[in-house]
Amino acid sequence: MGQLDHQIAVVTGAGRGIGRAIALRFAAEGADVVCVSRTAANADHVADEVRALGRRAWARALDVSDAQAVADAAGQIVAETGRVDILINNAGVTRDGLLLRMTEADWDLVLDTNLKGAFNFTKALTRTFLKQRAGRIIQITSVSGLLGNAGQCNYAASKAALIGFTKSLARELGSRGITVNALAPGFIETDMTAALPGEARQELSKRIPLGGFGQPEDVAYAALFLAGPAARYITGQVLAVDGGLAM
Ligand code: NAP
């Protein structure tokens, strides 16, 4: 028996990296998974991997910052599945640069994807959670949102805002049996961090008490905890998965 048997999870940014690891961990624990990604081939591939684990999967290629596309997809998902138990707002991008060189387009893309995307999916599924009087919402924020990071004003602002969003929504929805929490990964080995030069990587690793970068599965296990029965009485929290970097 898995911790998430027969539950339906929607995972955004499931096509690669942390989102993929969450989709596969949840499927291994018995959940059926809606895999949302920007690129159809990535969403399809991970949906196939979920099916290979014996669970149902749906692939949805869309841009989370497009409110209408998200509302349409959420409507279809609920019509097809009958319910949604877990929402993981994981889709995210970076467009790093010092503020003086940061363009308005870089600011807008990061805020629209990381923050508005989470708003769009949460809003589109909250009526379903309210009807069910149950639901788990997990935002993937970042240690950058806790500590700030030079060169990431846009990204850190989007991730810090997600924390305020999480705590406010946890207060709004608590009486209906819906929990809202956030995970704050540190440096995790994915395409997002692959471009970091070796020297920067070594310097960063020295600042991490547990040493070295984390793996996508480290975040997936924390998401499983927050989505599973053990976290029934936990809401409005931010759990860092960062090897101790932000403590
Ligand atoms: P990644 O490997 O770059 O994957 C990002 C995923 O998000 C991809 O599946 C991508 O879709 C999807 N995505 C991006 N923009 C989208 C959009 N507009 N609409 C729909 N999907 C979109 O990133 P990651 O490292 O796994 O990061 C996942 C989350 O963790 C992000 O929110 C990131 O900010 C956060 N995080 C990561 C780290 C880290 O060290 N890696 C640290 C802290 C926080 P496609 O595959 O279709 O392109």
Side-chain angles (χ1 to χ4, degrees):
M1 218 178 82
Q3 289 189 50
L4 303 179
D5 273 345
H6 309 301
Q7 300 208 22
I8 309 275
V10 175
V11 182
T12 73
R16 289 181 283 133
I18 291 169
R20 171 177 172 271
I22 292 173
L24 297 182
R25 174 51 32 208
F26 281 17
E29 292 288 339
D32 297 331
V33 187
V34 181
C35 303
V36 178
S37 214
R38 209 171 22 183
T39 313
N42 293 347
D44 287 339
H45 177 69
V46 176
D48 284 343
E49 290 185 295
V50 167
R51 289 183 199 109
L53 291 168
R55 304 310 315 169
R56 291 187 297 168
W58 301 263
R60 289 283 179 280
L62 55 80
D63 179 347
V64 293
S65 69
D66 180 341
Q68 192 57 54
V70 170
D72 291 348
Q76 287 166 10
I77 289 163
V78 173
E80 268 184 58
T81 62
R83 61 181 292 122
V84 172
D85 302 285
I86 303 160
L87 168 64
I88 311 288
N89 282 313
N90 165 79
V93 290
T94 52
R95 286 294 180 278
D96 296 352
L98 296 173
L99 182 76
L100 286 180
R101 278 192 230 124
M102 188 172 285
T103 64
E104 187 181 351
D106 288 342
W107 177 270
D108 287 346
L109 179 77
V110 170
L111 271 289
D112 284 353
T113 306
N114 300 4
L115 181 59
K116 191 176 159 204
F119 163 77
N120 285 341
F121 250 106
T122 306
K123 181 141 190 237
L125 289 174
T126 289
R127 206 175 297 281
T128 302
F129 291 134
L130 286 170
K131 273 195 206 141
Q132 295 169 181
R133 297 189 74 84
R136 299 288 172 91
I137 301 170
I138 300 170
Q139 323 284 7
I140 307 299
T141 173
S142 166
V143 292
S144 291
L146 296 171
L147 302 175
N149 195 15
Q152 285 199 316
C153 284
N154 49 0
Y155 183 77
S158 74
K159 295 299 189 178
L162 268 180
I163 293 171
F165 178 45
T166 298
K167 293 186 181 200
S168 301
L169 195 62
R171 290 183 190 279
E172 281 188 30
L173 301 181
S175 65
R176 307 295 192 93
I178 302 161
T179 70
V180 192
N181 290 291
L183 291 174
F187 290 96
I188 307 294
E189 298 281 8
T190 69
D191 294 344
M192 193 175 268
T193 51
L196 278 172
E199 220 168 89
R201 193 175 276 269
Q202 275 174 4
E203 278 310 307
L204 285 167
S205 294
K206 281 188 204 153
R207 289 171 35 208
I208 300 170
L210 288 180
F213 285 22
Q215 296 301 317
E217 290 71 24
D218 296 321
V219 184
Y221 276 110
L224 173 63
F225 166 66
L226 289 175
R232 185 193 70 88
Y233 198 56
I234 297 175
T235 197
Q237 300 304 306
V238 183
L239 176 61
V241 184
D242 65 348
L245 178 67
M247 68 176 159

